[in-house]
Amino acid sequence: KEVTVAGKRLALWVREVEILETLLRRADHVVPKGLLQDQLFSANGSLESNAVEVYMHRLRQKLEKSDSGLAIKTVHGVGYLLTEV
């Protein structure tokens, strides 16, 4: 799968694409962290306890550098929300 922003390819790892797809499909809704953990676990077989946070950190950096106009907000104790900047 390929992600483009303003016609430019955004280099993302497979797991980052999966997370971004989930966030885009549920735009304007908080995506529970558990849902993302389940998604990553089923794709990988094993998961470190901080895997979601690591992927979110990387994805946030890449979105910011791409000038996508999107940001990922943390809703503490619940999950993540994709918003426009």
Side-chain angles (χ1 to χ4, degrees):
K1 296 180 181 181
E2 187 173 295
V3 176
T4 58
V5 175
K8 295 180 185 175
R9 185 177 179 276
L10 183 61
L12 297 177
W13 294 98
V14 173
R15 304 293 184 264
E16 293 168 341
V17 171
E18 292 171 355
I19 290 171
L20 183 57
E21 280 181 327
T22 301
L23 292 170
L24 286 167
R25 284 191 178 121
R26 299 184 67 154
D28 298 325
H29 294 87
V30 176
V31 177
K33 181 180 175 182
L35 176 73
L36 296 171
Q37 286 174 322
D38 292 346
Q39 180 181 33
L40 292 173
F41 180 78
S42 66
N44 191 12
S46 64
L47 184 68
E48 296 292 326
S49 62
N50 67 337
V52 172
E53 289 85 356
V54 170
Y55 285 114
M56 282 297 170
H57 176 73
R58 291 178 187 164
L59 186 54
R60 282 179 171 134
Q61 287 182 326
K62 291 176 181 182
L63 288 173
E64 185 177 314
K65 288 180 184 176
S66 73
D67 294 324
S68 66
L70 298 174
I72 301 170
K73 306 278 185 185
T74 300
V75 180
H76 293 284
V78 181
Y80 301 93
L81 177 65
L82 186 67
T83 63
E84 293 185 53
V85 179

